[in-house]
Amino acid sequence: MAQEIERKFLVDTVKLGKLTGGKEIRQGFIPTSELTVVRVRISGDDAWLTIKGKNEGITRSEFEYVIPKLDAIDMLNELCLEPQVMKNRYCVEYCGYTWEIDVFLGDNKGLIVAEVELEHADDEIALPEWVTQEVTDDPKYYNVNLVRHPYKNWN
């Protein structure tokens, strides 16, 4: 079974410094039961359909498939919840791991989150100085929940 094992953190932008080489991502979520997430994502000329299972700690099943970009556009426009998640993603290498830093746009502007994927749930990692609070277990930071409760409405 394919699995995603990741940890998620908030970011201190002052310590992070300037980011370059990011990719714009547009993603939407097709309504499902509460046990799964079906995501449609476009970045550049590429598109994917991803099915994710329920989180068990920092691990969950994940199945991802490349799909035609035109199909993804149709799915985003016709099947996905609004508002969709828009963000710029930057990849930063640190101590043997690739950190994905998401700078959110639109209704989630102002939110910046760093994620790191692990091989095993018990992997120990060095944390960059620019990460702050870990939010791995906080559902409000799940992208699917940013659709229902955008960052602009948090108080």
Side-chain angles (χ1 to χ4, degrees), residues 61-132:
S61 58
E62 179 183 66
F63 305 91
E64 188 165 72
Y65 307 95
V66 174
I67 61 173
K69 184 176 179 181
L70 291 177
D71 287 356
I73 291 169
D74 287 344
M75 288 180 200
L76 285 164
N77 291 338
E78 296 175 27
L79 304 177
C80 292
L81 299 169
E82 293 289 340
Q84 294 174 6
V85 174
M86 303 293 291
K87 59 188 175 181
N88 287 320
R89 172 165 286 170
Y90 302 87
C91 293
V92 176
E93 298 297 322
Y94 185 81
C95 290
Y97 288 91
T98 300
W99 289 76
E100 296 176 336
I101 302 168
D102 289 340
V103 178
F104 289 85
L105 307 168
D107 287 351
N108 293 296
K109 185 176 182 175
L111 179 61
I112 302 174
V113 176
E115 299 176 349
V116 60
E117 288 204 23
L118 309 173
E119 290 291 320
H120 307 282
D122 59 355
D123 284 353
E124 292 190 28
I125 56 170
L127 299 179
E129 69 174 351
W130 39 263
V131 301
T132 61

Side-chain angles (χ1 to χ4, degrees), residues 1-17:
M1 174 185 298
Q3 286 191 321
E4 172 186 64
I5 304 169
E6 73 178 11
R7 292 175 65 189
K8 189 179 291 201
F9 298 85
L10 298 180
V11 173
D12 180 335
T13 56
V14 173
K15 291 181 180 175
L16 178 62

Side-chain angles (χ1 to χ4, degrees), residues 30 38-41 47-51 63-67 75:
I30 298 173
V38 177
R39 178 184 71 202
V40 179
R41 175 182 280 174
W48 302 266
L49 180 67
T50 306
I51 303 165
F63 305 91
E64 188 165 72
Y65 307 95
V66 174
I67 61 173
M75 288 180 200

